[in-house]
Coordinates of all heavy atoms in Angstrom, one line a residue:
R636 N 88.7 68.1 35.4 CA 88.6 69.5 35.8 C 89.1 69.7 37.3 O 89.2 68.7 38.1 CB 87.3 70.1 35.6 CG 86.1 69.3 36.3 CD 84.8 69.7 35.9 NE 83.8 69.0 36.6 CZ 82.4 69.2 36.3 NH1 82.0 70.1 35.5 NH2 81.5 68.3 37.0
A637 N 89.3 71.0 37.5 CA 89.8 71.3 39.0 C 89.4 72.8 39.2 O 89.3 73.7 38.3 CB 91.2 71.1 39.1
V638 N 89.3 73.1 40.5 CA 89.1 74.5 41.0 C 90.3 74.8 41.9 O 90.5 74.0 42.8 CB 87.7 74.8 41.7 CG1 87.6 76.2 42.3 CG2 86.6 74.5 40.7
G639 N 91.0 75.9 41.7 CA 92.1 76.2 42.5 C 92.1 77.7 42.9 O 91.3 78.5 42.4
V640 N 93.0 78.1 43.9 CA 93.0 79.4 44.5 C 94.4 80.0 44.4 O 95.2 79.3 44.8 CB 92.4 79.5 45.9 CG1 92.4 80.8 46.4 CG2 91.0 78.9 45.9
K641 N 94.5 81.2 44.0 CA 95.8 81.9 44.1 C 95.5 83.2 44.9 O 94.7 84.1 44.6 CB 96.2 82.2 42.6 CG 97.3 83.4 42.6 CD 98.6 82.9 43.3 CE 99.6 84.1 43.3 NZ 100.8 83.9 44.3
A642 N 96.1 83.2 46.1 CA 96.0 84.5 46.9 C 97.0 85.6 46.4 O 98.3 85.2 46.4 CB 96.2 84.2 48.3
I643 N 96.6 86.8 46.0 CA 97.5 87.7 45.5 C 98.0 88.6 46.7 O 97.3 89.2 47.5 CB 96.7 88.7 44.6 CG1 95.9 87.8 43.6 CG2 97.7 89.6 43.8 CD1 96.6 86.8 42.8
S644 N 99.4 88.7 46.8 CA 100.1 89.4 47.8 C 101.0 90.5 47.2 O 101.6 90.2 46.2 CB 100.8 88.4 48.8 OG 101.7 89.1 49.6
L645 N 101.1 91.7 48.0 CA 102.0 92.7 47.6 C 103.5 92.3 47.7 O 104.2 93.0 47.1 CB 101.7 93.9 48.3 CG 102.4 95.3 47.9 CD1 102.0 95.6 46.5 CD2 102.1 96.4 48.9
N646 N 103.7 91.3 48.5 CA 105.1 90.8 48.7 C 105.6 90.1 47.4 O 106.9 89.8 47.5 CB 105.0 89.9 49.8 CG 104.8 90.6 51.2 OD1 105.2 91.6 51.3 ND2 104.2 89.9 52.1
E647 N 104.8 89.8 46.5 CA 105.4 89.1 45.3 C 106.1 90.0 44.4 O 105.9 91.2 44.3 CB 104.2 88.5 44.4 CG 103.3 87.6 45.2 CD 102.0 87.1 44.5 OE1 102.1 86.9 43.2 OE2 101.0 87.1 45.1
P648 N 107.3 89.6 43.9 CA 108.3 90.4 43.2 C 107.8 91.3 42.0 O 108.3 92.3 41.7 CB 109.5 89.5 42.9 CG 108.7 88.2 42.8 CD 107.7 88.1 43.9
Q649 N 106.9 90.7 41.3 CA 106.4 91.4 40.1 C 105.8 92.8 40.4 O 105.8 93.7 39.5 CB 105.3 90.5 39.3 CG 104.0 90.3 40.0 CD 104.0 89.1 40.8 OE1 105.1 88.4 41.1 NE2 102.8 88.6 41.2
F650 N 105.2 93.0 41.6 CA 104.6 94.1 41.9 C 105.6 95.4 42.1 O 105.2 96.6 42.2 CB 103.7 94.1 43.1 CG 102.5 93.2 42.9 CD1 102.3 92.0 43.6 CD2 101.7 93.4 41.8 CE1 101.2 91.3 43.4 CE2 100.6 92.6 41.5 CZ 100.4 91.5 42.3
T651 N 106.9 95.0 42.3 CA 107.9 96.1 42.3 C 107.9 96.9 41.0 O 108.4 98.1 41.0 CB 109.3 95.6 42.7 OG1 109.6 94.7 41.6 CG2 109.2 94.8 44.0
G652 N 107.6 96.4 40.0 CA 107.6 97.1 38.7 C 106.3 97.1 37.9 O 106.2 97.8 37.0

Side-chain angles (χ1 to χ4, degrees):
R636 56 189 177 184
V638 175
V640 179
K641 164 60 180 168
I643 316 302
S644 172
L645 187 62
N646 292 326
E647 298 175 44
Q649 67 269 16
F650 294 124
T651 59

